[in-house]
Amino acid sequence: MSAGIGCRDLRVHAGGRELLSVPELHVASGRTLAVLGPNGAGKSTLLRALGLLSSHRVSGRIVLDGRPATRPLMRQALAAVLQRPILRRGTVADNVISGLRFRGMSRREARTEAWPWIEALGLESLVGRDARSLSIGEAQRVSITRALAAGPRVLLLDEPFSGLDSTTRADLLADLRAALTGQPTATILVTHDRQEALALAEDTALLIDGRIRQHGSTAEVLDHPSDAGTARLLGYTNLLPPALTGRAHTLVARPEHTQLVLDPSDQTDDVRGTLRRTVALGSATRVDVDTSAGALTCLHLGDVLATELPPIGSDVRVRIRHARSLTS
Amino acid sequence: MDVLFDGLVDAIGLLLSGDRDTWSIIALTLRVSLTATAIAILIGLPLGALVALARFPGRRIVLAAANTGMGMPPVVVGLFVTVLLWRSGPLGGLGLLYTPTAMIIAQSAIATPVVVALVAAALQQVDPDFRVQMRALGATPVRAFAALLGEARLPLLAGAMAAFGAVVSEVGAAQMVGGNLAGQTRVLTTAAVLATSQGQFSLSIAFGLILLLIAFGVNLSLTLVQQRRTVPR
C-alpha cells in the first residue's frame, strides 16, 4: 500500500454497541478525502480511530505509510484540528509552534519553521496576542495554522468550519485549500457540508450510521446518490417513487430542481399534488406540495409574487427539471 | 486595644531578638506544614487527576469522599492518627506518637482530601478534549498531561494554597498527636493556645501574628506564581 493513511476491518464499539464498521479505506499522500455524513453518523469516531486517538474499543488495522500504525509512528505523522479550537495559555505564536515543540524542536527553530505558515494563513498581526483574547474564527485559524506548521504527513480535520460565520468560513476555506495544494499530506476532512467537500477534497466518502455507503471522486459522489439515505444527505430531498412518475426506478431531485407549474396553459405531463404551504425565504420561495407518495419541496429562486401562487389546498402540478435515478 | 498593640510589639520583639524558642517554633511550624502539604500534593495530585480523567467504578464515591474530607474536623483526624500510633495500636511499634512525624502524618491526612477534590475540579474545568488535541499534535501522554497541568495552573495553585492554609492553621490534630512538647512538637498554633490558657495574651497574639505572617508569605509566593502574566492582553 502506498504512502498515506488507511484502515482495514476497522470497527469501533462503545457501550456494547457498534458505532462504526469500515472494511477498507485509504487516503494517499497529497490527497484529501471528505467524509460527509449527518450528525451522529460516526464521522468523528472514524477520524479519532484513524488517528489512534479514540477512547472507545477499536479493532482492525490502521495502516500508516503501508505499515501497521503504532502510537509513536502516528505521533510523528499526525496533526489534527478539532471542531472547537482548543488553544493553550500563551501567545498565538506559542500555540502555533506547539506541535513542533512536541516533536522536539527548540523554540527558536520552531518559530523559524512555523513562520511561513503564519504568513500563509495571515496571522502575522496576531502572533503576540494572548490566545484567550481571540474570536472563535481567529482561534480556529490559529488551530489550523498550528496543525499545518507541524508538517504532518496525516492531517485530520474534524468539522473545523462549523460554528464560524459565513465570511470567516469562506476565507479560511480558501486559505486552507491554498495551503494544502502541493503538500505531501494525506488529509481527511470530516464535515456535513457539501460545499466544504467540494472546495477541499478530491475524494468523498458518505458515512451513514457508521458505514460508508458511497466512496469515489467528490464530483461523482456528490451528484450520484445511490440510495434514499445518501440522496437525502446530498440534498436530493425529494423522493419520487415509480408509482408517482411511471418510471422503472425511484427518482430523486433537489428542491431547486423541483418547481410548481404556474402557467395553466403548460400541459406537460407533471407530478400532481395539493399545495400545503408557501414560505417566502427572501431570495427564494419554498413551496410544499403533498402528493399521493409523500411530500415534495419546491424552491423557486428569485421573487415570486404571492398573487402568482395558487391558494393553499388547491390542486397543483410539479415539474422535476433535473433528477437522478436510484438503481439500488 | 492595649493587648493587641502589646502583642504586635511582642511579635516584632520576638522576631528581631532572635529568641531561640520562638524561631524553633517557627521552623517546626514551617517544616511540618510544608512537608505535610508536599506529601498531600504528591498523593492528591495523581489521585485527583485519576478521579478527574479516568472512568472507573466508584469514581464518584472517591470524589464525594474527598469532598467530605475537605470539611473533616482536624480533631477527628487527630483522633484516628492517635489511635493508629498509640503504643498498643496497629502502628504503635514505630514509636511515632508525640513526634513531628506524627504531626506530619496527621496534617497530610487533613490536606490530601483538599488536594484531591481541588485537583479534580481544576482538571475537569479544562476542555475534555484538551489532552486529545495535544496528543493529536504529537505530544506523548506524559507531555499532554503536563500541558493539562499547565493549563489548569491557576486553580491547581489555589488548591495548594488551600491545603497549606488548612494545615498551618489547624490546632486539634497537632495538639493530639504532637502533644505540644516544648522544643520538640510545639508549633505556632499549639503555642498560641497554651499561651492563651496561661493568660499570656500578648505572647499569644504575637504567635498569632507570626502565624498570619507565615501564611501570608507562603500564599503571596504561590499567588505571584499563579498570577504571573506572560502575555500582554
Side-chain angles (χ1 to χ4, degrees):
Chain A
M1 197 178 270
S2 60
I5 188 168
C7 64
R8 282 187 199 137
D9 299 323
L10 180 68
R11 287 169 196 272
V12 180
H13 287 86
R17 201 165 64 89
E18 187 177 85
L19 302 179
L20 187 78
S21 174
V22 177
E24 189 163 12
L25 190 68
H26 180 69
V27 185
S29 290
R31 290 189 78 84
T32 299
L33 170 77
V35 178
L36 200 64
N39 290 333
K43 305 189 295 292
S44 298
T45 305
L46 171 63
L47 206 68
R48 289 185 184 212
L50 286 171
L52 303 182
L53 300 168
S54 181
S55 56
H56 300 310
R57 192 158 62 82
V58 180
S59 62
R61 276 176 69 188
I62 307 296
V63 182
L64 179 65
D65 296 335
R67 288 193 290 168
T70 59
R71 285 183 196 280
L73 282 176
M74 191 59 86
R75 263 202 296 279
Q76 288 302 315
L78 176 72
V81 178
L82 304 185
Q83 197 171 342
R84 287 187 312 277
I86 300 175
L87 302 181
R88 301 174 67 178
R89 287 177 170 280
T91 62
V92 165
D94 291 338
N95 273 280
V96 170
I97 65 171
S98 57
L100 292 165
R101 298 274 291 139
F102 285 139
R103 285 162 163 80
M105 205 175 268
S106 74
R107 182 174 289 272
R108 182 190 290 265
E109 275 180 306
R111 284 194 80 132
T112 309
E113 185 84 6
W115 190 255
W117 292 107
I118 288 172
E119 286 181 328
L121 274 292
L123 287 178
E124 301 100 311
S125 61
L126 295 180
V127 284
R129 278 264 297 276
D130 187 337
R132 286 172 296 174
S133 69
L134 301 176
S135 70
I136 182 88
E138 288 169 334
Q140 194 59 291
R141 186 172 281 270
V142 172
S143 180
I144 289 172
T145 310
R146 175 175 64 180
L148 291 168
R153 302 202 306 283
V154 174
L155 178 64
L156 304 180
L157 305 166
D158 190 355
E159 300 200 46
F161 308 106
S162 66
L164 304 184
D165 65 74
S166 57
T167 311
T168 307
R169 180 173 160 271
D171 287 347
L172 198 49
L173 200 58
D175 287 346
L176 180 59
R177 173 71 273 177
L180 285 175
T181 304
Q183 291 297 318
T185 308
T187 304
I188 302 179
L189 166 75
V190 151
T191 180
H192 57 258
D193 188 298
R194 299 193 302 274
Q195 296 310 316
E196 288 175 14
L198 209 52
L200 283 179
E202 294 91 4
D203 303 306
T204 291
L206 303 184
L207 189 74
I208 298 175
D209 294 334
R211 281 169 168 72
I212 291 180
R213 301 268 274 265
Q214 266 181 269
H215 183 195
S217 80
T218 298
E220 176 73 14
V221 169
L222 293 190
D223 211 25
H224 291 86
S226 64
D227 55 43
T230 55
R232 173 163 288 278
L233 178 63
L234 297 174
Y236 288 85
T237 49
N238 289 327
L239 213 65
L240 302 128
L244 204 61
T245 59
R247 306 280 187 90
H249 298 290
T250 296
L251 298 182
V252 287
R254 296 182 193 272
E256 55 268 35
H257 297 145
T258 310
Q259 288 178 337
L260 214 57
V261 179
L262 297 170
D263 180 3
S265 62
D266 187 345
Q267 291 299 317
T268 321
D269 193 17
D270 297 302
V271 175
R272 292 176 186 277
T274 308
L275 185 67
R276 178 151 49 91
R277 67 166 187 172
T278 60
V279 185
L281 297 172
S283 60
T285 301
R286 174 180 164 146
V287 179
D288 291 345
V289 175
D290 289 327
T291 72
S292 58
L296 294 179
T297 301
C298 313
L299 205 60
H300 289 256
L301 298 176
D303 285 338
V304 178
L305 293 174
T307 50
E308 284 183 66
L309 293 167
I312 305 298
S314 55
D315 289 339
V316 290
R317 286 181 294 127
V318 173
R319 181 161 305 158
I320 312 297
R321 296 191 180 281
H322 176 74
R324 290 283 175 200
S325 176
L326 298 183
T327 49
S328 57
Chain B
M1 285 304 287
D2 282 352
V3 176
L4 271 177
F5 183 73
D6 289 347
L8 187 63
V9 171
D10 274 359
I12 295 167
L14 285 169
L15 283 171
L16 295 182
S17 68
D19 179 72
R20 244 182 98 184
D21 287 348
T22 307
W23 278 103
S24 88
I25 290 173
I26 293 171
L28 185 66
T29 304
L30 280 173
R31 193 183 120 204
V32 168
S33 297
L34 288 176
T35 310
T37 306
I39 292 171
I41 290 170
L42 278 175
I43 300 169
L45 183 66
L47 200 57
L50 195 70
V51 169
L53 307 174
R55 295 286 172 270
F56 57 89
R59 189 182 72 90
R60 289 178 193 180
I61 292 169
V62 174
L63 193 55
N67 285 331
T68 308
M70 282 177 76
M72 187 138 69
V75 74
V76 175
V77 176
L79 173 67
F80 279 118
V81 175
T82 302
V83 170
L84 279 175
L85 299 181
W86 196 256
R87 199 175 304 151
S88 55
L91 301 174
L94 298 173
L96 291 175
L97 197 59
Y98 306 130
T99 65
T101 307
M103 296 164 78
I104 290 170
I105 292 170
Q107 292 200 344
S108 302
I110 292 166
T112 300
V114 176
V115 176
V116 172
L118 295 182
V119 164
L123 298 185
Q124 281 181 328
Q125 53 114 44
V126 179
D127 194 304
D129 277 338
F130 183 85
R131 280 185 310 147
V132 173
Q133 177 64 83
M134 294 304 112
R135 282 172 51 215
L137 288 167
T140 60
V142 173
R143 286 200 74 173
F145 181 66
L148 176 68
L149 294 184
E151 204 58 23
R153 192 182 72 202
L154 262 69
L156 285 176
L157 284 168
M161 285 188 253
F164 178 75
V167 294
V168 80
S169 62
E170 74 84 24
V171 64
Q175 181 87 41
M176 286 175 88
V177 305
N180 194 25
L181 304 176
Q184 292 178 47
T185 57
R186 184 161 295 168
V187 287
L188 283 164
T189 49
T190 56
V193 169
L194 182 68
T196 306
S197 70
Q198 291 172 343
Q200 296 174 296
F201 293 121
S202 59
L203 184 63
S204 180
I205 289 169
F207 284 138
L209 288 173
I210 294 168
L211 189 61
L212 271 178
L213 207 64
I214 288 174
F216 181 72
V218 171
N219 282 310
L220 179 67
S221 313
L222 289 172
T223 306
L224 290 178
V225 174
Q226 184 194 47
Q227 299 294 322
R228 191 180 57 202
R229 182 176 287 178
T230 52
V231 184
R233 296 204 81 174

